[in-house]
Amino acid sequence: MGGNDIEINLTSDQLLEKCDDLEEDPWGVAGLVLGLGISFNAIYRAGAHDAMLKIKNLIISWIPHVNSLVTNSSFSSEGREKALSVGSCLALPCVVAFCRRVEMINDNELDQLLKGYHELISELLSVKKSGTFHQSLMLASCVGVGSLLACILNEGVHPLEVESVKGLLEMFRKCYCSSCPPIICLGGMLGVVNSMGAGAGILVHAHHFSASIKTACEQEESSHILGPLLSSPICEPHLTTLVQEMFLIAQNSDDLKMQQNAAWAVSFLRNGLWSKELLNAERYDKSDVDSKTISYNFPEDNLVMKLTIWLMHLNNSGAGAVAHVGTVVTVLRCLSRAPRLPTVDWGLIIRRCMSYEAQVSEVLSPDSAFKRGALREECVQFSIAHANQFDPLLTFLDELSDLTRFRTLELNLQSCLLFHLAGLIKVFSGSRIEKLFDDIAEYFCSEFLCQGYSPDQESSLRISCWVGLYQCLEEAALSSVEYISNLEKCIEVLFHLLPASESANFTGVDLPNTAEEWRVAVQCLAKAQGDWLLDFLLVPLGDLVQGGSQSNEVLKKIQAKVKLVRMGSIPLTELGRLKAYMLNSKSKDIWNLLVEVVAALQYADGSFKRQWLVDAVEISCVSSYPSTALLFLGLLSGSCCKYGSLLTLDQLSLLSDLPVTLPSLVTEPSWEVVAEPFVSSLWTSTERIYYWVTEKGLPDNTSSAQPIDGSEEDIASFLLHVMYHTCICLKEYLPLEKQLRLANMLVT
């Protein structure tokens, strides 16, 4: 299922079509909205990213105040849509958590969402009436914003202002410290425990920090919080007060309902959070939070240790001293080359670095020394270098290279992953490697043109992939590797996407990257297994029977084969079966191939080249396109005779020079052994063209396998003139009868 196969045409009326008594029981509809929210993973796996964004915006649009800040739409508190707001408040944290993991929501949107929740709860607190819907919405909004707060902070990537967080906590406190109905009091208490990561009432589990991580934003004098509330010194006194108040209510409240609600909240906090903290404590029971415990036997003055601590304390809040992006790139590049690293949560550090440039872009001017996106590329290369040591880095690479996520990445990051395929196969398991190559093949087979890439950008992506595949083939002997067939499938897909030629001669469009794409493609093919390569480049006999304009696939296979012959990757004999095809095709379609073949023949022995010379002139006797064979003769003779240093690639000049280059070649001692059969065939070809030009028709005792194509008419007279004078220069190799017939030709 592709992204284009899913369309979202959902409205509030459709969801509420069969729902009655919405004011009295909004929780029935809330289940529908929650189901819509938790369907994100399935929709994402289907590749329907546009549908995901529509659902995200739809859920936001159903929450009062939040929708106007984020989507600039209006919300009618009197309309039927307000019944959907309860479920939306609960579903939004789940949606945001998933969107954050796949980078489909930015930091500004997070701030706007929290601000919208804040305004909603403030308005609900100011309302005097307390109907069923009002109480339900108050409960859902407190639970939702608490969970959203934990989702953002526990991720450890986006810092939040301390005052904003404290303002939300204080509103939660008002809910259960004032004379509010029990359900609203429960909402305030759940908001508090959820903000600490309890996860009560939602279906998303927030990420928890490793006990070994500290950041600059956790200092008491900081104006921002980065990390869980429980790890923030500046919020510790406030949180302690809130938990103590709930504990006292659970013990001493005169209101039984309030006492039960407080007990539930404290239980959620203990069971949902403290049990996880206990597991973390056991995991790090031999560690403390100072530099010695994370050193992995690193001395404090060690350079790697110092750079690691600097990254851990990287300030991405946009307040105070902010490091330049180029500095972060340099630090990561240095650490990428370290043989081992301190044991810290590198997955978290890398995720912070991935978003660092976007977070500080408003504070810092662009660093001209580093292109935009260079930091994210460096994060990928760092992760590949150390993924074998740290599982979070391996998970990070696994997520990025998954096809559904890969499609959403920016061009330079896609190119980076493709370029470093060899690094990925070193850290992935066998089955994951097979999936990796299958995903790459599917990606290039799909209509990724719809992503808005230009032809040059698409070519750049393919070049990166060719280089990556080449490095994979270089890594090890692949005869025993199970995923070789998957890799070969990628090569086949990329080969089909190759431009028809290195220049504009075939396609009429000259692309800057075409020559480079061909170069890396041939380089990669040269590393492939010989038997598979010959089978893949095999041109069916049916495609070689007739000349003329052939498909681009045939031309590309022949061109690749010729280039591989030049490189010595496949034997020269492989060109022999292509001889008839190439010399019986239109010269404009095959010119580049002729040049490549002659270049390849320079490495052949004399007998092999002489055979090509004889075969070429014989083919000109029966070909529909005799000019092609004669052009080849001009290239071959010009490159092998004593005038080779003056060789030109201008087609008319090559033909004009035939009366000089051919006699010079065949009269050399090593070539004179084929002079008589060669000149005899040249005479036959000349006579054939003579009768065609003069429209006399061939003599009865002369046969021609194929008529000369009409496209040769423009050059026919010129060809006849050149061939006639060539035969005159070589007439001593002709029998007397043919010399007489040559003398009787009237050629001007």
Side-chain angles (χ1 to χ4, degrees):
M1 181 183 296
N4 295 329
D5 298 325
I6 297 179
E7 292 187 8
I8 299 296
N9 295 311
L10 192 62
T11 65
S12 58
D13 289 337
Q14 289 173 314
L15 280 175
L16 304 176
E17 185 177 357
K18 296 183 179 181
C19 298
D20 300 321
D21 300 324
L22 298 177
E23 290 285 341
E24 298 298 325
D25 185 20
W27 293 100
V29 182
L32 295 175
V33 182
L34 276 172
L36 190 62
I38 63 176
S39 67
F40 256 49
N41 190 33
I43 298 173
Y44 176 78
R45 289 291 172 186
H49 304 118
D50 290 341
M52 288 179 61
L53 293 175
K54 288 180 181 179
I55 293 176
K56 182 195 76 173
N57 293 333
L58 197 61
I59 290 176
I60 291 174
S61 71
W62 292 333
I63 306 177
H65 293 289
V66 175
N67 66 328
S68 59
L69 287 170
V70 179
T71 63
N72 296 319
S73 61
S74 59
F75 179 88
S76 174
S77 60
E78 301 300 326
R80 302 183 71 194
E81 287 185 347
K82 70 178 184 179
L84 300 168
S85 59
V86 173
S88 299
C89 287
L90 295 174
L92 190 58
C94 176
V95 170
V96 170
F98 189 86
C99 288
R100 285 292 288 174
R101 186 163 64 87
V102 297
E103 298 183 315
M104 294 184 69
I105 189 170
N106 59 44
D107 295 338
N108 183 59
E109 285 182 280
L110 294 180
D111 294 332
Q112 295 299 323
L113 288 174
L114 288 176
K115 184 178 179 181
Y117 267 115
H118 189 284
E119 293 184 6
L120 172 61
I121 296 174
S122 297
E123 182 175 312
L124 292 174
L125 281 172
S126 65
V127 174
K128 301 301 181 183
K129 66 175 182 178
S130 183
T132 301
F133 173 74
H134 173 270
Q135 296 179 24
S136 299
L137 183 57
M138 189 67 178
L139 170 63
S141 58
C142 288
V143 171
V145 72
S147 301
L148 181 61
L149 195 61
C151 168
I152 297 171
L153 291 176
N154 290 7
E155 183 192 28
V157 175
H158 177 54
L160 296 177
E161 291 183 358
V162 171
E163 294 305 317
S164 174
V165 174
K166 285 185 175 181
L168 286 170
L169 293 175
E170 189 58 35
M171 284 198 303
F172 295 150
R173 186 174 182 275
K174 288 181 181 179
C175 291
Y176 61 82
C177 287
S178 57
S179 56
C180 293
I183 190 172
I184 295 180
C185 294
L186 176 62
M189 294 176 183
L190 293 182
V192 172
V193 298
N194 278 0
S195 65
M196 289 187 277
I202 61 169
L203 301 173
V204 59
H205 299 285
H207 171 75
H208 291 270
F209 265 174
S210 163
S212 62
I213 286 291
K214 290 176 66 181
T215 68
C217 291
E218 294 172 4
Q219 304 302 320
E220 293 187 11
E221 66 272 12
S222 174
S223 61
H224 288 77
I225 302 175
L226 183 61
L229 283 178
L230 289 178
S231 68
S232 174
I234 195 170
C235 289
E236 182 180 351
H238 198 59
L239 292 174
T240 301
T241 301
L242 294 176
V243 174
Q244 286 176 342
E245 286 178 349
M246 287 190 292
F247 188 77
L248 291 175
I249 293 174
Q251 278 190 321
N252 305 321
S253 176
D254 296 332
D255 188 330
L256 180 60
K257 191 65 176 176
M258 280 284 291
Q259 192 176 17
Q260 291 176 339
N261 288 342
W264 273 109
V266 173
S267 296
F268 278 126
L269 183 62
R270 181 181 184 279
N271 294 324
L273 180 64
W274 289 348
S275 59
K276 296 175 185 177
E277 292 299 320
L278 182 60
L279 291 175
N280 284 335
E282 292 176 355
R283 183 181 303 174
Y284 299 100
D285 60 349
K286 297 181 181 180
S287 300
D288 198 354
V289 295
D290 61 12
S291 62
K292 293 180 181 179
T293 61
I294 63 171
S295 66
Y296 195 71
N297 298 324
F298 280 78
E300 291 185 19
D301 60 348
N302 180 271
L303 178 60
V304 172
M305 188 66 202
K306 289 181 177 180
L307 293 178
T308 299
I309 293 174
W310 185 86
L311 276 180
M312 291 166 56
H313 291 76
L314 189 63
N315 179 13
N316 61 346
S317 66
V322 178
H324 279 276
V325 174
T327 306
V328 184
V329 170
T330 304
V331 170
L332 280 175
R333 190 169 295 166
C334 292
L335 291 175
S336 295
R337 290 158 176 76
R340 61 190 180 96
L341 297 174
T343 304
V344 298
D345 192 343
W346 284 106
L348 176 59
I349 292 175
I350 286 301
R351 291 178 192 275
R352 285 180 184 170
C353 291
M354 285 287 284
S355 62
Y356 183 80
E357 184 175 0
Q359 290 173 330
V360 302
S361 59
E362 296 181 0
V363 180
L364 298 175
S365 58
D367 194 335
S368 59
F370 293 90
K371 66 177 183 179
R372 184 170 181 82
L375 177 55
R376 288 167 66 83
E377 292 181 35
E378 202 62 46
C379 288
V380 170
Q381 296 179 54
F382 173 90
S383 301
I384 291 174
H386 296 293
N388 279 327
Q389 300 178 52
F390 302 101
D391 288 343
L393 295 180
L394 185 60
T395 301
F396 169 72
L397 292 173
D398 176 59
E399 291 176 357
L400 282 186
S401 55
D402 184 76
L403 179 59
T404 50
R405 177 71 185 282
F406 182 83
R407 283 190 174 119
T408 65
L409 299 176
E410 60 270 30
L411 178 68
N412 68 302
L413 208 57
Q414 289 181 346
S415 293
C416 181
L417 285 166
L418 293 172
F419 189 88
H420 292 94
L421 283 177
L424 292 176
I425 67 172
K426 289 180 181 178
V427 298
F428 283 168
S429 65
S431 58
R432 184 63 183 87
I433 293 172
E434 290 184 21
K435 183 181 185 302
L436 174 67
F437 286 127
D438 286 344
D439 284 351
I440 292 172
E442 183 178 345
Y443 175 72
F444 283 105
C445 282
S446 64
E447 295 293 333
F448 67 95
L449 294 174
C450 64
Q451 296 180 349
Y453 293 157
S454 67
D456 194 38
Q457 289 173 323
E458 293 172 28
S459 178
S460 176
L461 269 180
R462 295 194 297 267
I463 288 172
S464 297
C465 192
W466 277 118
V467 174
L469 293 173
Y470 169 80
Q471 293 170 347
C472 290
L473 290 168
E474 268 204 327
E475 284 301 320
L478 294 173
S479 57
S480 60
V481 179
E482 296 178 354
Y483 59 80
I484 182 61
S485 60
N486 304 79
L487 188 150
E488 289 169 348
K489 180 182 177 182
C490 288
I491 292 178
E492 292 179 13
V493 170
L494 286 177
F495 187 84
H496 293 317
L497 295 173
L498 266 177
S501 171
E502 293 181 80
S503 67
N505 287 352
F506 291 177
T507 61
V509 179
D510 191 11
L511 300 176
N513 287 339
T514 302
E516 176 64 11
E517 186 173 352
W518 263 98
R519 186 189 69 80
V520 295
V522 173
Q523 186 181 44
C524 180
L525 289 171
K527 284 289 181 181
Q529 296 184 107
D531 293 341
W532 174 84
L533 181 61
L534 291 177
D535 288 341
F536 173 62
L537 295 179
L538 180 66
V539 180
L541 288 175
D543 293 336
L544 298 176
V545 172
Q546 292 184 341
S549 298
Q550 297 293 338
S551 70
N552 286 339
E553 288 303 306
V554 174
L555 294 173
K556 287 191 295 186
K557 286 186 176 182
I558 295 175
Q559 186 169 6
K561 216 166 194 177
V562 172
K563 287 178 176 293
L564 290 168
V565 168
R566 286 188 63 186
M567 297 174 63
S569 299
I570 59 177
L572 272 166
T573 52
E574 286 296 319
L575 293 181
R577 66 189 307 271
L578 305 174
K579 190 183 304 178
Y581 169 84
M582 289 188 290
L583 300 181
N584 191 30
S585 299
K586 287 183 178 180
S587 59
K588 70 180 183 66
D589 293 338
I590 215 77
W591 168 248
N592 282 1
L593 293 181
L594 298 180
V595 176
E596 291 279 356
V597 170
V598 171
L601 289 176
Q602 301 307 306
Y603 303 98
D605 58 34
S607 61
F608 198 84
K609 288 188 280 189
R610 288 193 294 270
Q611 188 60 51
W612 269 83
L613 184 75
V614 173
D615 290 345
V617 74
E618 288 178 353
I619 290 173
S620 73
C621 297
V622 295
S623 172
S624 297
Y625 308 95
S627 63
T628 302
L630 293 171
L631 280 171
F632 176 79
L633 289 176
L635 286 168
L636 184 60
S637 60
S639 64
C640 296
C641 73
K642 62 183 179 181
Y643 301 109
S645 59
L646 302 177
L647 176 65
T648 175
L649 292 182
D650 178 73
Q651 298 183 28
L652 289 178
S653 297
L654 279 173
L655 293 174
S656 298
D657 291 342
L658 281 177
V660 176
T661 56
L662 274 177
S664 173
L665 180 67
V666 299
T667 55
E668 291 182 7
S670 61
W671 289 80
E672 200 168 12
V673 294
V674 297
E676 287 191 6
F678 172 79
V679 176
S680 177
S681 296
L682 182 64
W683 154 253
T684 302
S685 182
T686 303
E687 188 178 42
R688 178 187 181 221
I689 294 176
Y690 172 76
Y691 283 114
W692 183 62
V693 171
T694 58
E695 299 180 350
K696 293 181 178 181
L698 289 171
D700 295 338
N701 61 345
T702 307
S703 62
S704 179
Q706 301 177 82
I708 297 176
D709 191 82
S711 61
E712 298 282 277
E713 289 182 1
D714 294 340
I715 200 174
S717 298
F718 175 69
L719 281 180
L720 177 59
H721 177 82
V722 168
M723 295 175 71
Y724 172 79
H725 286 284
T726 304
C727 289
I728 291 293
C729 295
L730 295 168
K731 64 182 180 179
E732 64 267 23
Y733 295 102
L734 290 173
L736 182 59
E737 177 190 356
K738 291 185 178 180
Q739 290 186 31
L740 291 174
R741 290 165 63 181
L742 180 64
N744 289 329
M745 281 187 181
L746 298 177
V747 179
T748 58

